[in-house]
Amino acid sequence: MDSDTSRVSSRPSSPEVDDIFLSTLKKSVHGFSGAVSSTQSDSPSDIHCMRGLSAADEESLTLRLAKKDRKLLSEGELQSIRLKINSRERKRMHDLNVAMDGLREVMPYAHGPSVRKLSKIATLLLARNYILMLSNSLEEMKRLVSEIYGTTGHHGGFHPSACGTMTHGGPVPGHPASPHASHPAVHHPLLPPAAVSTASLSAPAIAAVTSVRPHHGLLKAPAAGAGPLGSSFQHWGVGTGMPCPCSMCQVPPQHVSSMSTVTMPRLASDSK
DNA sequence: TAGGCCATCTGGTCCT
DNA sequence: AGGACCAGATGGCCTA
């Protein structure tokens, strides 16, 4: 299908034993020579690499590396390359975290210093469910508009872009920037919460979200009886108008569940 | 103290 | 060849 799939399938399920040995050995040698690690003196790898290695082991490794690479790079060159690669990887992970923070910001979730930051996995699962819920809400809106206006009139179809007012519209339902506005459960009497929220989200998925931290929950200050997401969380229509990811409020829609199989092109490919 | 989450390093694989 | 992506390993931090 896509390159990622093929990449995954082509990747060996487990490395060869020799590779593991070599990898470990190389790490040890790096630590032994003090060559590799990075700009951060307190980095974990500095500690990882404190394991010693016998001279024989080191010699053996050198021979094996020489066979494998067929390139003789000076230690300084290798170190320089390693530092460069590490730096790139750090930047990549940093960018990923920035994107994750951006995603957290637009998630329908309590924000603030007293609220524990969503974990990465929780963020992703909640985001997925949020998208599913919005998709379902949109479909429901379309259906109701069609029912109300029929197929002959001006509003034969759903085209909010042409009807900018959409009092009908306004901000995106459930968007944190407008928590009070336009969620069907709050502003659209024709859309009971059950019609939207209970029909739109994946219970297994949200169960996964709420079970990510089964012992201490997702929030810093959970209160008794506050539900799986803690005291700061509000269910549908309870003040915020935000969607609730708890298992009580969410049921998977069959027609959108296929979204989970949609493959995304690499961002790198898109941006290039 | 155990378990969850995270940052980082590292080597392998794939793509351009 | 270089860069991006990925997964494994490891240790630190935090919370229950």
Side-chain angles (χ1 to χ4, degrees):
Chain A
M1 193 181 317
D2 64 354
S3 59
D4 275 344
T5 303
S6 62
R7 285 176 62 184
V8 168
S9 62
S10 66
R11 191 189 299 276
S13 59
S14 63
E16 296 296 326
V17 173
D18 189 60
D19 289 341
I20 296 173
F21 167 75
L22 188 58
S23 174
T24 304
L25 208 54
K26 284 161 75 176
K27 285 183 183 178
S28 299
V29 166
H30 286 152
F32 185 72
S33 63
V36 159
S37 248
S38 72
T39 55
Q40 301 171 344
S41 59
D42 59 342
S43 74
S45 279
D46 285 341
I47 302 171
H48 300 171
C49 297
M50 291 307 289
R51 297 185 223 104
L53 193 70
S54 71
D57 286 342
E58 189 174 5
E59 185 177 355
S60 171
L61 170 65
T62 302
L63 290 173
R64 296 166 75 144
L65 286 177
K67 278 185 184 177
K68 186 174 183 176
D69 292 340
R70 309 275 176 142
K71 285 184 180 179
L72 294 178
L73 295 175
S74 71
E75 196 158 314
E77 288 172 322
L78 285 173
Q79 181 180 4
S80 175
I81 291 171
R82 236 316 129 196
L83 292 179
K84 191 177 171 185
I85 293 172
N86 290 350
S87 176
R88 272 203 308 270
E89 179 67 6
R90 275 197 303 273
K91 179 183 181 303
R92 194 182 71 83
M93 295 307 297
H94 178 259
D95 291 344
L96 182 64
N97 288 335
V98 168
M100 192 69 70
D101 286 338
L103 184 57
R104 286 188 186 101
E105 286 178 7
V106 300
M107 290 302 294
Y109 199 77
H111 300 277
S114 65
V115 178
R116 183 178 185 138
K117 190 173 78 171
L118 284 170
S119 70
K120 292 179 179 179
I121 182 67
T123 300
L124 292 175
L125 292 172
L126 189 58
R128 175 185 180 276
N129 289 341
Y130 188 35
I131 291 169
L132 295 181
M133 182 274 299
L134 291 179
S135 298
N136 197 263
S137 297
L138 183 59
E139 289 302 315
E140 192 71 10
M141 279 275 222
K142 287 180 181 178
R143 187 183 67 78
L144 286 167
V145 166
S146 295
E147 285 182 3
I148 292 171
Y149 295 102
T151 57
T152 57
H154 162 67
H155 278 88
F158 183 70
H159 48 104
S161 61
C163 306
T165 57
M166 194 61 190
T167 329
H168 319 313
V172 176
H175 193 284
S178 56
H180 60 284
S182 77
H183 188 277
V186 178
H187 287 268
H188 203 310
L190 297 179
L191 291 178
V196 178
S197 58
T198 63
S200 58
L201 294 172
S202 163
I206 203 63
V209 170
T210 57
S211 65
V212 167
R213 294 180 182 178
H215 299 301
H216 44 76
L218 294 168
L219 302 176
K220 278 180 177 175
L229 292 178
S231 62
S232 298
F233 198 82
Q234 311 246 336
H235 294 264
W236 284 113
V238 188
T240 66
M242 294 185 176
C244 176
C246 82
S247 57
M248 293 170 55
C249 301
Q250 324 223 346
V251 172
Q254 295 306 315
H255 72 284
V256 285
S257 61
S258 61
M259 288 175 66
S260 62
T261 64
V262 173
T263 57
M264 300 288 288
R266 287 192 176 190
L267 292 176
S269 299
D270 288 348
S271 63
K272 285 182 183 174

